[in-house]
Amino acid sequence: MATRKKIRIGDLLVQNKVISEAQLGAALAEQKKSGRKLGRTLVDLGYVEEERLLRFLSQQLDIPYVDLRHYKVRPETVRLLAETYARRYRAIVLDDSGPEILVGMADPTDIFGYDELSRILKRPLRQAVVREADLLRTVDVVYRRTEEIVSIAEELNEDLTQHDYDLAQIMQTDEAADAPVARLLKTLFEDAVQVNASDIHIEPDENVLRIRQRVDGVLQEQVMKEKRIAAALVLRLKLLAALDISEKRLPQDGRFNIKVKGRSIDVRLSTMPVQYGESVVMRLLDQSGGILDLGQLGMPAPLLARFRGHIHSPHGMVLVTGPTGSGKTTTLYAALSELNAPEKKIITVEDPVEYRLPRINQVQVNPKIDLTFASVLRAGLRQDPDIVMVGEMRDRETAQIGLRAAMTGHLVLSTLHTNDSVTTASRLVDMGAEGYLVAAALHAIVAQRLVRRVCESCREPYTPTPQERAWLAATTGASAPPAGLQRGAGCHHCNDTGYRGRIGVYELLELDQPMADALRRNDAAAFARAAAASSGFRPLARCALDYAEQGLTTIEEVMRVAGEQAGDSGRGADPAPAGTLEAPGAS
């Protein structure tokens, strides 16, 4: 087994003119305060790019640099090292086929970690250097909790079979942390957080229990034979959310907060009586990550600049539209975060309040006591706000109050469930808002979707199918498909889906005089024509196709976005020809 010599990475970087003496001194001072590794400190301070640092280490130590994004790891090989040690020493087993085990380390200069890994694995080691973020992502994917979930479910099922427990009593005792049901829920939440699931569904069926997680907008299913444990899981969750455990005939809603792997997760829980018990859906909101900055949303730069101009306007209404799960709330909170300043009074009316923001007065509606959107909005306007955010325009009264507030010196931000920006103004009129009011108060509409990103680890060039070629030819008018199309072949990083992560697709419609005139006449067809002719308007599908041409998403995802818009265009008069990307509501 080779013995690693301690090297002074800072001195080597200075000698090779990668950083200066002054930068090394500043990094060492920062390291003393933060306790982080010197290499990480240098990267965080911006003195050296991480890629350059890793390749420098590879050269100095004479070990390979492995890009995990494109390395085909074998889960069974990675699991030769327990997850605890993998995370502690930032190490991953890459290959065990030879006399030595190839181990990737984020810090190959860590002699203590190297010696401990040699002792744990009981084999000679060969080192490789890997990027820490990629290592942690790989560890999250490989060490999934699916087998552990099944094992604990079997244990819980045996307990429920052998003993007639009073589950309500068990859940409230100090021993609950040791009970299988508590461990099962803990493991379930850890698995969901590791794969960045947005929702967890617990669904009892006739003979099985289905646990499904929504990852990148798509449900992934795990089926367990232990159907008996469903009632125990629902009971425990109801207790966590302070719901009525005796009520099983009516739907209930609640929320609770948990800490998972050092992250604060806000859980919104909904129960529903179904044929074989109670179905539970939990929405997971990561409070520890903070609110996204507008610049992190992925809006194209020209569109972002125009959107910023509207949200910094002293008055008027700006709407964000799209179906459920399209990221509307994230966009609104990012806008509020940018607007949040001591000199601005901001009031929000929400159902529910999803993220807590300092300095902002956030109100949770409660229809049971007549605390509705309209009543809160009416009272809120007497609180001298500069900016008002309404969670959703749900009815005529709320829309009327919001529009009038936008005309009387307030900036009003809100959402509406429409499929594109062009049909949004007409939807407000359909809800009962006067056309002249919409024309005067509404300044801009953002429509958005989330499309799945092509997995970076298994991406490959893609040739469109004949059907996709025909669709592209009809929509773009080009005889040949665009270059640069990619798809994911499927790998362990993306759970063999070919996709990993999502990116926002946006369109921005800014109301001008021809559109305002059409609204005053209540002429939906003229409004659609004016929108199509307005400068700077690019439909959602065009934005999605831009991403496909850059290899960020697939033609399949572009066609899905275009199909959703085409499905909504039939609600307005004179829909544009289907397939025309430059026409609103039909692309």
Side-chain angles (χ1 to χ4, degrees), residues 189-440:
F189 281 122
E190 286 178 348
D191 185 58
V193 169
Q194 281 191 192
V195 295
N196 291 320
S198 60
D199 303 84
I200 301 174
H201 297 234
I202 300 175
E203 302 169 341
D205 210 332
E206 184 176 9
N207 299 311
V208 297
L209 174 66
R210 301 181 193 278
I211 295 180
R212 303 200 279 175
Q213 298 177 345
R214 191 175 295 280
V215 181
D216 293 338
V218 178
L219 286 170
Q220 298 178 1
E221 184 176 84
Q222 185 174 2
V223 179
M224 293 185 287
K225 302 188 297 294
E226 296 77 18
K227 179 183 177 293
R228 283 173 56 90
I229 71 175
L233 287 176
V234 174
L235 177 60
R236 174 66 171 172
L237 289 167
K238 281 185 173 180
L239 286 166
L240 287 171
L243 301 181
D244 184 355
I245 62 174
S246 65
E247 181 57 77
K248 300 180 181 179
R249 301 165 301 169
L250 296 173
Q252 296 188 68
D253 296 305
R255 68 192 302 166
F256 57 91
N257 192 272
I258 56 172
K259 281 199 175 293
V260 182
K261 295 184 173 294
R263 295 160 66 178
S264 178
I265 307 295
D266 196 36
V267 182
R268 283 167 40 194
L269 179 142
S270 171
T271 70
M272 175 77 72
V274 293
Q275 188 175 7
Y276 298 107
E278 286 183 276
S279 169
V280 174
V281 176
M282 292 177 283
R283 169 67 56 88
L284 309 181
L285 300 168
D286 189 352
Q287 300 285 350
S288 59
I291 306 299
L292 282 179
D293 181 87
L294 269 179
Q296 298 174 306
L297 294 179
M299 284 188 184
L303 188 149
L304 177 60
R306 288 155 51 207
F307 179 63
R308 272 200 166 110
H310 287 291
I311 66 169
H312 284 282
S313 172
H315 58 83
M317 178 178 284
V318 178
L319 292 177
V320 181
T321 74
T324 301
S326 59
K328 301 185 298 296
T329 302
T330 301
T331 299
L332 276 184
Y333 273 104
L336 285 178
S337 181
E338 179 162 315
L339 294 169
N340 192 2
E343 62 270 17
K344 296 283 179 66
K345 169 86 169 186
I346 303 177
I347 295 177
T348 73
V349 191
E350 306 174 65
D351 184 22
V353 174
E354 297 197 11
Y355 295 97
R356 279 78 168 179
L357 294 170
R359 201 188 291 115
I360 293 180
N361 297 272
Q362 297 176 270
V363 183
Q364 163 86 49
V365 302
N366 187 352
K368 293 179 182 177
I369 58 172
D370 201 31
L371 195 66
T372 62
F373 276 103
S375 64
V376 176
L377 185 54
R378 195 180 294 110
L381 291 174
R382 294 196 289 269
Q383 293 275 310
D384 187 30
D386 297 290
I387 301 166
V388 178
M389 192 272 271
V390 184
E392 183 185 346
M393 291 291 173
R394 292 185 176 178
D395 53 57
R396 177 179 180 274
E397 188 178 9
T398 305
Q400 291 269 28
I401 298 171
L403 288 166
R404 292 188 186 280
M407 291 180 63
T408 55
H410 304 87
L411 174 66
V412 180
L413 307 176
S414 188
T415 70
L416 203 60
H417 283 270
T418 55
N419 277 356
D420 59 37
S421 58
V422 176
T423 55
T424 300
S426 300
R427 189 67 53 83
L428 283 173
V429 175
D430 292 342
M431 287 168 60
E434 290 89 345
Y436 75 88
L437 202 57
V438 178

Side-chain angles (χ1 to χ4, degrees), residues 4-62:
R4 279 272 163 230
K5 294 180 180 178
K6 185 172 180 63
I7 69 167
R8 298 178 63 86
I9 182 63
D11 293 338
L12 284 173
L13 289 168
V14 172
Q15 290 171 16
N16 287 270
K17 295 183 172 51
V18 177
I19 61 173
S20 67
E21 285 276 8
Q23 289 174 328
L24 175 58
L28 288 170
E30 177 64 26
Q31 184 192 22
K32 284 182 180 179
K33 290 190 289 184
S34 66
R36 291 173 297 178
K37 301 275 188 183
L38 179 60
R40 171 51 50 192
T41 304
L42 287 165
V43 172
D44 290 344
L45 290 173
Y47 294 157
V48 60
E49 292 182 359
E50 187 174 19
E51 180 90 8
R52 186 179 182 189
L53 175 63
L54 295 178
R55 294 194 180 279
F56 178 81
L57 285 173
S58 167
Q59 183 181 9
Q60 291 296 320
L61 297 173
D62 194 24

Side-chain angles (χ1 to χ4, degrees), residues 570-585:
R571 297 189 184 97
D574 292 348
T580 306
L581 277 177
E582 305 310 325

